């Protein structure tokens, strides 16, 4: 790459069409000869910039995120850059330009000055006074210089390598626009073709001739070839004149896309040879166009398609060949554009050849700027705007409806991104304003219908109708409008909608719940879902089938329920899911629940079904569907207690019937029981199953850190049916629950697999005693679990006996462990120690835990029971049973370890773990932060920091490449907790206000734009590596907001404006 030395701006001259400083040549040994490529590059390179663009929101078919490209200065005095439309995007963005042609690599903020509504070019504006060491250079435009055979150089950020110089020769100047993957497709223009081999990042590069003039704009390439496509500059030069003068750039359209067809093709379509030879080739070509006497045309313009519903769609037909435009022959896209741009709001006359006949039509030229979106709406982290012109043109749909740029939480489960919403609750949504008005009338948590279609998917082009749930509380709801003069996006807060939600059932003006709670089961399984259906008259055959529902299915018909959990992918805190759970922008998990306490509305489920508190939860029992929230999540086992909300208009909960648990039962290998549950399709099932084994489970850990089951003698079933990879209940023939069947995920590089296992009832008993036998004055969510915070695995005694004498346990200990473990023949070996836990300083991986409080233990159940006994005794002794929440008990527990055969006695302070799961998050500059989870400490020591769970696309966190999993400090202020992050943000804002106040008190009166400011962000990863990166805040699009769960289980979003 060529890098010129810095030059003094004292004396300037015009060289090769580029204004630049005369001093400071890039070659200090000898000045290049004028007219050589070296001289051209010396002059041009200082004007080339590498663009770093961040699309802060998904818009049209451009998704939010950071990317790179190229631009070059076309007016150094006004600070105007030229680049591609697809580089800078046409939605809300943040862009910086780095002058890569100078060693100083100065960086400036740029903003959009003009984006063409159809052709692939845009102008960006920067402040030239911000450049201190970069010479002022600009590249002149020469639209007429693009000729076949012209030797060229393409200078730009090819492959994002800041600066590369590629060579080529123009081979064609009359190619139709290249087909690209997205909806945006340039139309009604020629493209030039050369084999320069450009790649990603070079879009927006100048295509230079040997005079140092830009003759085209690099725009696209064909993968796997050397082919590159360049946009001619005729319309670019015209737009530049208007932008320089601060004038609007008129752009006219007939909503018709033309294509350039060869002479043999148009002759076959009916154009006469007389017209071709007399009016096209036999006349002098107009000046300023693509063609000349040296390069005559080789074809004519043909109608390809028109946007449905427009006047052109009625008057023109595909295959029509353009003969005349406003009375003159027209075979050049340049002249087509000129005529339409000069007649915006007025009519143009067209003569076309249709099947050999001359047809004359008169159409009004519309303002193309009005056909692209200039506003969008946000709800539930979704982005919606009107249907763009390019989408309507490419996919042959009318310019009606609301385009889903990002589906978000409300629509994401059922309506895909890049679809078009046609109606809400049967009311057509032809524009964004109607869409907003309809949604504002829908109460929160109410279901409503949405009609939609996917233009680019042939299978989903037909209208579909789905039922979605209004959920405004997951993010701020705003409407944004673009000020076309300043190109600034102006937000407007939307109201929270009407008051309380209507009942979630069919009614006047409302929509039905999304689906029945249970569907008909497979014929191979016993149907237990009849009680879940609405009360309708059944056929005699169905009545007979219903009467056959007996045993456990009948006993638990009013206790077993369906639990559905949904959350946005951005809010993934503890999910480990497979492809079946991914539905659009959301994760959706479905499983089984069982009523613990009907009067309090408490339901038990597993952590695969409800992996975290942050999400929308619904519980269905019979024909009743209610919202729920997480009341308690067991920190060790896959057990979650849900609090069901009261029915609409009622104060009491009263949900279903509490199941009966057999607290003293112990399932053993060979025992038979019934397995009841709900599968992934929502179908109820019941199977007779047999216990194959009860053994200490080796449950997989996950990365990134996610909760996983540990220290459990799991019940393994002998059957291998697909339903056994679902959650459910293990019970006897009378419906008495003997265990809960949970699900976990096993991951490898190739696939994920669901694994089912049973949780014995002894692990559920503490929850039953706490939530079903409440003591007066004890908060329902005050349950705590004692834990050594280690993970056990099985050590076979037979293998321990074969160790060398210096390493194996003594015969006395082996005898004690064999007696305590019974037929299992194992001891408890420590697999992993949680950093900072009670055993962190005493235990190590490979140690054997052989006794707790002097009592020999060989099972995880025995350890758990002994810890609970110690805690109960401590509570009784201190008499603080009613004050556990404010003064947690830390029990002193004697432990005995064996390390390489040597006995070690330690005294551990065992903590009481509260409910697990994240109940509060911050979105700070697009980083989703939470308190460091306990699962992260399982992999080793962690810094005093908050945990980075996600990075939002299009955010400053992504744009500035913030690395690591832990946020340690901001501008030197430590951030060990979320509250400290808020304090750091407040300090930054306070400092910014002081700087603004100081500028207002200075001589400039605070004039001009606010200077760019960066935060110093310190992060670390799980390996202990430290990173320091600057981060530029964007409080307009990325203010600090907090999501938190209140005491009633509800979630709310609190936005901190200005932070």
């Amino acid at each position: 790459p060529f890098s010129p030395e810095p030059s003094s701006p004292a004396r300037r001259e015009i060289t090769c069409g580029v204004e630049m400083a005369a001093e400071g040549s890039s070659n200090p040994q000898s000045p290049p000869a004028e007219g050589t490529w070296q001289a051209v590059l010396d002059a041009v390179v200082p004007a080339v910039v590498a663009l770093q663009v961040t699309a802060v929101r998904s818009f049209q078919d451009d998704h939010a995120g950071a990317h790179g490209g190229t631009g070059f200065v076309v007016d150094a005095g006004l600070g105007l850059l030229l680049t591609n439309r697809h580089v800078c995007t046409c939605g809300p963005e943040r862009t910086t330009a780095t002058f890569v042609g100078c060693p100083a690599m100065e960086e400036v903020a740029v903003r959009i000055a003009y984006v063409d509504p159809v052709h692939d070019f845009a102008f960006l504006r920067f402040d030239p006074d911000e450049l201190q060491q970069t010479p002022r250079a600009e590249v002149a435009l020469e639209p007429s210089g693009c000729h076949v055979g012209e030797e060229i150089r393409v200078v730009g950020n090819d492959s994002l390598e800041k600066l590369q110089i590629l060579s080529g020769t123009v081979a064609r100047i009359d190619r139709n626009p290249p087909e690209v993957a997205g909806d945006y497709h340039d139309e009604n223009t020629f493209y030039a073709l050369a084999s320069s081999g450009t790649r990603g990042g070079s879009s927006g590069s100048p295509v230079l001739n040997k005079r140092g003039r830009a003759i085209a704009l690099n725009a696209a390439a064909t993968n796997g070839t050397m082919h590159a496509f360049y946009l001619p500059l005729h319309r670019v030069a015209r737009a530049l004149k208007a932008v320089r003068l601060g004038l609007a750039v008129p752009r006219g359209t007939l909503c018709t896309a033309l294509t350039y067809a060869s002479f043999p093709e148009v002759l076959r379509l009916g154009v006469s040879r007389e017209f071709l030879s007399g009016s096209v080739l036999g006349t002098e070509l107009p000046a300023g166009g693509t063609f000349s006497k040296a390069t005559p045309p080789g074809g004519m313009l043909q109608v390809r398609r028109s946007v449905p519903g427009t006047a052109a769609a009625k008057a023109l037909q595909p295959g029509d060949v353009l003969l005349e435009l406003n009375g003159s022959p027209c075979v050049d896209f340049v002249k087509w554009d000129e005529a339409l741009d000069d007649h915006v709001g007025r009519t143009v006359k067209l003569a076309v050849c249709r099947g050999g006949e001359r047809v004359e039509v008169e159409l009004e030229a519309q303002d193309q700027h009005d056909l692209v979106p200039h506003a969008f709406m946000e709800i539930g982290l979704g982005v919606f705007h009107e249907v763009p012109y390019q989408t309507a043109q490419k996919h042959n749909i009318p310019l009606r409806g609301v385009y889903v740029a990002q589906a978000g939480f409300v629509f994401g489960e059922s309506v895909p991104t890049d679809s078009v919403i046609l109606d809400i609750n049967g009311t057509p949504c032809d524009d964004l304003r109607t869409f907003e008005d309809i949604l504002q009338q829908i109460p929160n948590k109410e279901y409503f219908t949405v009609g939609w279609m996917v233009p680019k998917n042939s299978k989903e082009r037909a209208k579909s109708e789905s039922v979605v749930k209004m959920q405004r509380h997951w993010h701020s709801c705003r409407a944004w409008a673009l000020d076309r003069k300043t190109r600034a996006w102006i937000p407007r807060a939307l109201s929270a909608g009407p008051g309380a939600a209507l009942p979630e059932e069919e009614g006047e003006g409302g929509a039905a719940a999304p689906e029945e709670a249970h569907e008909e089961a497979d014929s191979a399984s016993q149907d237990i879902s009849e009680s879940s259906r609405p009360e309708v008259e059944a056929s005699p055959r169905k009545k007979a089938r219903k009467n056959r529902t007996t045993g456990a299915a009948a006993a638990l018909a009013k206790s077993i329920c369906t639990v559905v959990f949904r959350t946005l992918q951005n809010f993934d805190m503890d999910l480990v899911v497979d492809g079946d759970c991914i539905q659009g922008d959301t994760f959706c998990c479905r499983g089984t629940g069982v009523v613990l306490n009907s009067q309090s509305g408490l339901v038990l489920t597993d952590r695969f079904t409800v992996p975290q508190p942050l999400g929308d939860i619904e519980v269905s029992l019979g024909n009743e569907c209610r919202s729920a929230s997480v009341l308690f999540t067991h920190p060790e086992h896959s057990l979650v207690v849900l609090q069901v909300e009261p029915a609409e208009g009622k104060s009491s909960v009263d949900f279903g019937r509490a199941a009966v648990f057999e607290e003293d039962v112990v399932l053993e290998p060979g025992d038979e029981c019934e397995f009841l549950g709900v599968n992934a399709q929502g179908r109820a099932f019941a199977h007779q199953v047999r216990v194959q084994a009860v053994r200490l489970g080796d449950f997989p850990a996950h990365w990134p850190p996610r909760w996983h089951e540990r220290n459990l003698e799991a019940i393994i079933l002998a059957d291998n049916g697909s339903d056994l990879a679902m959650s459910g209940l293990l019970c006897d023939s009378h419906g008495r629950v003997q265990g809960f069947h949970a699900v976990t995920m096993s991951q490898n590089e190739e696939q994920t697999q669901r694994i089912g296992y049973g949780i014995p009832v002894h692990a559920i008993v503490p929850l039953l005693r706490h939530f079903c036998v409440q003591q007066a004055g004890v908060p329902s969510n005050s349950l705590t679990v004692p834990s050594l915070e280690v993970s056990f695995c099985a050590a076979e005694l037979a293998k321990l006996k074969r160790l060398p004498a210096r390493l194996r346990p003594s015969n006395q200990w082996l005898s004690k462990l064999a007696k305590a473990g019974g037929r299992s023949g194992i001891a408890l070996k420590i697999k992993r120690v949680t950093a900072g836990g009670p055993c962190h300083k005493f235990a190590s991986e490979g140690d054997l835990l052989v006794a707790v409080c002097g009592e020999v233990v060989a099972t995880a159940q025995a350890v758990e029971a002994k810890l609970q006994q110690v805690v109960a005794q401590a509570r009784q002794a201190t008499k603080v049973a009613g004050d556990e929440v404010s003064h947690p008990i830390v029990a002193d527990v004697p432990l005995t370890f064996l390390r390489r055969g040597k006995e070690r006695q330690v005294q551990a302070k065992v903590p009481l773990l509260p409910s697990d799961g994240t109940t509060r998050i911050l979105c700070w500059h697009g980083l989703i932060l939470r308190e460091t989870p306990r699962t992260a400490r399982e992999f080793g020591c962690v810094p005093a920091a908050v945990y980075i769970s996600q990075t939002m696309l299009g955010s400053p966190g992504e744009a500035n490449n913030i690395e690591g999993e832990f946020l340690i400090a901001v501008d030197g202020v430590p951030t060990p907790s979320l509250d400290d992050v808020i304090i750091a943000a407040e300090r930054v804002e306070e400092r910014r206000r002081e700087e603004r106040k100081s500028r207002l008190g200075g001589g400039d009166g605070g004039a001009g734009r606010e200077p760019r400011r960066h935060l110093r962000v310190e992060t670390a990863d799980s390996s202990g590596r430290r990173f320091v990166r600057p981060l530029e805040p964007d409080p307009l699009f990325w203010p600090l907001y907090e999501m938190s769960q209140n005491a009633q289980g509800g979630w709310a979003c609190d936005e901190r404006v200005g932070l």
Side-chain angles (χ1 to χ4, degrees):
F2 179 82
S3 299
E5 298 292 332
S7 58
S8 170
R11 183 165 61 88
R12 303 182 183 278
E13 62 181 15
I14 301 298
T15 304
C16 297
V18 181
E19 182 189 6
M20 64 170 294
E23 300 177 16
S25 170
S26 63
N27 187 350
Q29 298 178 355
S30 61
E34 187 174 351
T36 64
W37 277 115
Q38 184 64 58
V40 169
L41 296 174
D42 283 351
V44 169
V45 165
V48 177
V49 300
L51 297 174
Q52 300 83 41
V53 182
T54 302
V56 297
R57 295 290 188 274
S58 296
F59 199 81
Q60 296 194 27
D61 65 335
D62 290 326
H63 297 292
H67 60 273
T70 305
F72 59 97
V73 180
V74 292
D75 193 312
L78 296 177
L80 292 177
L81 299 169
L82 175 62
T83 188
N84 288 125
R85 177 188 189 272
H86 76 262
V87 170
C88 71
T89 76
C90 55
E93 47 71 44
R94 292 290 186 259
T95 305
T96 59
T98 303
F99 284 78
V100 293
C102 295
M105 290 282 192
E106 290 189 279
E107 181 181 289
V108 295
V110 299
R111 62 186 188 279
I112 294 176
Y114 171 78
V115 175
D116 197 77
V118 60
H119 295 325
D120 195 8
F121 75 92
F123 293 107
L124 309 177
R125 192 185 300 275
F126 68 94
D127 185 357
D129 293 335
E130 293 184 11
L131 297 177
Q132 303 298 318
Q133 303 178 49
T134 304
R136 291 196 176 188
E138 66 181 38
V139 181
L141 306 183
E142 189 178 339
S144 61
C146 191
H147 304 295
V148 174
E150 187 78 23
E151 188 180 357
I152 59 171
R153 295 291 186 270
V154 182
V155 183
N157 186 23
D158 193 79
S159 300
L160 300 181
E161 290 294 341
K162 297 187 182 298
L163 188 64
Q164 292 204 53
I165 301 169
L166 305 173
S167 62
T169 303
V170 176
R172 288 185 62 184
I173 60 171
D174 61 352
R175 190 194 190 282
N176 282 305
E179 296 284 347
V180 293
D183 286 358
Y184 174 72
H185 180 259
D186 208 341
E187 65 179 36
N188 300 342
T189 183
F190 290 119
Y191 269 70
L193 170 68
S195 295
S196 58
T198 55
R199 294 292 181 267
S202 64
S203 293
S205 299
V207 181
L208 305 167
N209 62 12
K210 211 165 185 178
R211 299 177 59 205
R213 307 294 181 94
I215 62 173
L217 182 66
N218 185 51
T222 301
N223 292 332
T225 73
M226 295 290 288
H227 298 167
F229 306 106
Y230 312 134
L231 175 70
L233 300 179
H234 300 87
R235 290 294 93 190
V236 176
R238 175 180 177 274
L240 178 58
K241 293 179 181 179
V243 173
R244 280 171 167 163
L245 297 174
L247 302 176
V249 181
R251 298 293 282 118
T253 182
L254 299 182
C255 297
T256 297
L258 306 179
T259 187
Y260 188 61
S262 66
F263 285 153
E265 178 72 11
V266 298
L267 289 174
R268 289 191 288 267
L269 290 174
V271 176
S272 66
R273 293 184 179 274
E274 291 77 13
F275 181 85
L276 192 62
S277 59
S279 299
V280 177
L281 298 177
T283 61
E284 184 176 351
L285 295 170
T290 303
F291 306 111
S292 63
K293 187 175 182 180
T295 56
M300 299 177 67
L301 304 183
Q302 171 192 332
V303 175
R304 187 180 184 188
R305 57 177 173 254
S306 300
V307 175
T310 61
K314 300 176 181 178
L316 300 175
Q317 296 180 9
D320 288 352
V321 179
L322 180 65
L323 302 176
E324 297 176 355
L325 178 61
N326 285 336
S328 300
C330 180
V331 295
D332 191 348
F333 282 124
V334 173
K335 299 305 173 182
W336 170 271
D337 270 347
E338 284 181 0
L340 295 184
D341 291 349
D342 293 340
H343 288 78
V344 174
R346 296 182 293 162
T347 58
V348 294
K349 297 179 179 179
L350 285 74
V352 299
C353 174
R354 181 179 300 162
E357 300 292 331
R358 179 185 174 95
V359 178
E360 295 185 353
V361 297
E362 191 170 329
L363 296 169
E364 180 181 342
Q366 295 181 253
D367 187 347
Q368 186 129 26
H369 291 291
D370 293 337
L371 304 182
V372 295
H374 295 96
F376 67 93
M377 177 178 169
E378 286 186 289
I379 182 170
L381 288 171
V383 178
F384 309 87
H385 55 70
E386 293 177 354
V387 174
Y389 171 82
Q390 284 78 17
T391 299
Q393 184 67 272
K394 183 168 185 176
H395 300 296
N396 196 39
I397 63 172
L399 282 164
R400 296 195 304 270
V402 174
Y403 185 83
V404 183
Q406 189 72 47
F409 207 156
V410 176
F411 294 88
E413 183 184 356
S414 302
V415 181
T417 296
D418 296 329
S419 62
V420 174
I421 293 177
L422 305 175
D423 61 69
I424 300 290
N425 284 341
T427 303
C429 295
D430 291 340
D431 52 53
L432 189 63
R433 187 66 189 180
T434 304
F435 179 72
E436 177 186 332
D437 291 342
I438 295 175
L439 291 185
Q440 292 286 73
Q441 300 171 16
I442 299 176
N444 206 33
K445 295 188 177 183
E446 179 176 280
Y447 283 98
F448 59 96
T449 63
V450 52
W452 54 275
M453 55 91 70
V454 182
K456 64 182 180 182
N457 189 328
S458 299
K459 295 181 180 180
E460 296 182 300
R461 279 186 64 88
K463 178 183 174 181
S464 300
E465 185 169 288
S466 301
V467 179
V468 299
K469 183 179 181 180
M470 177 59 71
Q471 300 186 81
R472 295 183 175 88
H473 50 286
W474 295 116
H475 196 263
S476 300
C477 300
R478 292 191 187 91
W480 296 78
L482 177 68
D483 186 319
R484 297 198 195 183
K485 185 175 181 181
T486 64
R487 299 293 305 183
W489 288 92
I490 311 300
R492 171 173 55 87
L494 300 178
S495 70
L502 298 175
E504 298 176 348
E505 57 186 36
E506 184 75 21
E508 184 176 352
E515 56 184 315
E516 295 293 343
H518 302 286
E519 299 178 10
E520 186 176 348
D522 295 331
S523 58
S525 301
Q526 184 180 4
D527 191 337
I528 64 171
S529 62
E530 294 300 330
S531 63
S532 68
R533 302 184 183 278
E535 294 296 330
V536 295
E537 185 65 25
S539 65
R541 181 179 178 182
K542 287 189 176 181
K543 286 182 178 180
R545 184 176 182 179
K546 183 174 180 178
N547 291 336
R548 290 199 303 269
T549 304
T550 60
L556 292 172
K558 295 184 179 180
S559 303
I560 192 169
C561 49
T562 302
V563 179
V564 179
F565 170 89
R566 304 179 184 91
T567 194
L568 201 64
Q569 293 189 28
N570 303 92
F571 292 155
D572 171 14
M573 301 288 131
D574 264 320
L575 276 77
V576 182
V577 297
D578 54 15
D580 294 338
C581 296
I582 301 175
Q583 298 185 4
D585 284 2
T586 66
F587 290 119
C588 181
C589 303
R590 184 189 303 273
T592 304
V594 61
V595 178
L596 289 182
N597 187 322
S598 59
Q599 294 181 346
S600 301
L602 302 183
V603 171
L604 177 69
T605 188
D606 70 322
R607 286 194 73 158
F608 181 81
T609 303
V610 180
Q612 61 187 40
L614 180 57
D616 178 64
I617 306 170
E618 290 181 338
V619 181
S620 300
L621 179 60
N623 60 355
E624 188 175 13
C625 179
R626 297 197 204 171
S627 297
S629 59
V630 173
L631 180 64
F632 178 81
T633 301
H634 201 291
E636 298 279 323
H637 304 314
S638 184
L639 299 170
V640 180
V641 179
L642 304 177
Q643 174 69 70
V644 178
E645 295 182 2
E648 184 67 26
K650 296 183 179 179
S651 57
S652 61
V653 178
D654 289 334
F655 187 75
R657 182 171 62 199
V660 177
F661 287 76
E662 280 194 279
E663 297 188 12
D664 299 328
V665 69
V666 177
L667 290 177
E668 296 181 350
D671 289 349
E672 292 188 348
C673 58
E674 293 199 39
F675 180 24
L676 280 66
V678 179
N679 65 18
Q681 289 72 41
R683 295 175 179 173
F685 61 83
H687 295 302
Q688 192 77 18
V689 294
R690 181 173 57 85
V691 177
Q692 176 179 327
V694 179
R695 61 171 180 262
L696 182 63
D698 185 13
F699 298 98
H702 309 289
W703 188 263
R706 295 290 186 266
W707 180 91
H708 63 95
E709 182 73 74
R710 62 179 184 176
N711 303 342
L712 179 75
E713 277 78 33
I715 301 169
I716 310 301
L717 302 179
D719 306 72
N720 293 317
S722 60
D723 285 340
L724 298 189
M726 305 295 167
S727 59
L729 301 179
L730 303 177
C731 54
D732 63 11
S733 59
H734 301 289
R736 292 188 291 263
V737 180
Q738 299 173 328
F740 195 98
H741 194 265
V743 177
T744 188
M745 295 295 299
S746 174
Q747 290 181 309
N748 55 41
E749 296 180 357
E750 298 180 355
Q751 62 182 1
T752 59
Q753 181 181 2
R754 297 189 184 191
I755 301 174
Y757 64 97
I759 301 176
V761 74
H762 70 76
I764 307 175
V765 167
L767 278 68
L768 295 172
R769 293 176 178 173
H770 182 86
F771 291 108
C772 300
V773 187
Q774 286 287 309
Q775 299 180 17
V778 179
S780 60
N781 61 349
S782 63
L783 178 62
T784 54
V785 176
S787 174
L788 296 178
E789 297 198 69
V790 298
S791 295
F792 296 121
C793 63
E796 296 181 22
L797 296 181
K799 290 184 178 181
L800 293 176
K801 292 177 181 179
R802 292 198 295 267
L803 290 174
R806 67 180 186 277
L807 299 178
R808 68 171 177 256
S810 65
N811 292 333
Q812 183 181 6
W813 272 116
L814 289 173
S815 176
K816 291 180 180 180
L817 292 171
K819 183 178 180 180
R823 290 180 298 177
S824 66
I826 66 168
L828 297 178
K829 183 171 70 173
I830 294 180
K831 180 180 180 181
R832 183 174 286 118
V833 180
T834 301
C839 298
H840 177 62
K841 297 181 179 180
F842 310 122
S844 179
E845 287 77 5
D847 289 355
L848 299 178
L849 177 64
V850 294
V852 178
C853 295
E855 184 174 319
V856 179
V857 291
T859 64
Q861 177 185 356
V863 174
E864 193 170 292
K866 196 62 183 176
L867 293 179
Q868 291 172 352
Q869 179 183 349
V870 171
V871 170
Q873 292 173 352
R875 285 175 173 160
Q876 184 66 28
T878 56
K879 299 181 181 180
V880 291
D883 201 25
E884 288 185 47
V885 175
S886 57
H887 297 86
I889 295 175
V890 179
D892 288 325
V893 180
L895 304 175
T896 304
F897 294 100
L898 296 181
R899 179 177 297 177
R900 299 182 181 89
K902 302 295 179 64
E903 182 178 325
R904 299 179 66 243
Q905 300 280 349
V906 300
Q907 195 83 6
K909 293 186 177 295
V910 178
L912 300 183
L913 302 182
S915 177
D916 197 35
T918 300
T919 58
R920 182 191 182 198
I921 64 171
L922 290 180
C923 182
W924 180 79
H925 301 298
L927 302 178
I928 303 296
L929 307 176
R930 59 170 169 160
E931 304 290 356
T932 298
R934 184 169 53 88
T935 51
R937 294 190 286 113
E938 292 181 13
F939 293 89
C941 294
V942 299
V946 292
Y947 190 78
I948 303 173
S949 292
Q950 299 281 337
T951 301
M952 304 278 280
L953 294 178
S955 68
E958 185 209 12
N960 293 275
N961 194 27
I962 301 301
E963 301 177 81
E965 293 91 33
F966 302 97
L967 177 64
I968 296 175
V970 178
D971 278 354
V973 179
T975 55
S977 68
L978 295 181
D979 290 332
D980 292 307
V981 175
I982 296 176
I983 292 173
E986 290 173 344
R987 290 183 180 179
V988 169
E989 175 62 18
E990 183 179 354
R991 186 166 61 250
R992 186 182 69 88
R993 291 174 181 172
E994 291 176 355
E995 292 173 355
R996 179 185 296 176
K997 186 177 180 180
S998 177
R999 289 198 310 274
L1000 291 174
D1004 62 352
R1009 288 192 300 165
E1010 186 171 331
R1012 296 176 65 190
R1013 56 193 177 95
H1014 290 80
L1015 307 179
R1016 186 176 186 271
V1017 178
E1018 299 176 49
T1019 58
D1021 65 9
S1022 57
S1023 301
R1025 294 176 296 182
R1026 297 293 183 104
F1027 309 95
V1028 178
R1029 293 284 300 174
L1031 182 145
E1032 184 175 10
D1034 185 0
L1036 177 63
F1037 287 103
W1038 296 99
L1040 177 72
Y1041 73 84
E1042 177 180 345
M1043 290 286 299
S1044 58
Q1045 188 179 28
N1046 58 29
Q1048 289 72 40
W1051 286 88
C1053 177
D1054 179 20
E1055 184 173 295
R1056 312 292 182 92
V1057 178
L1059 297 184

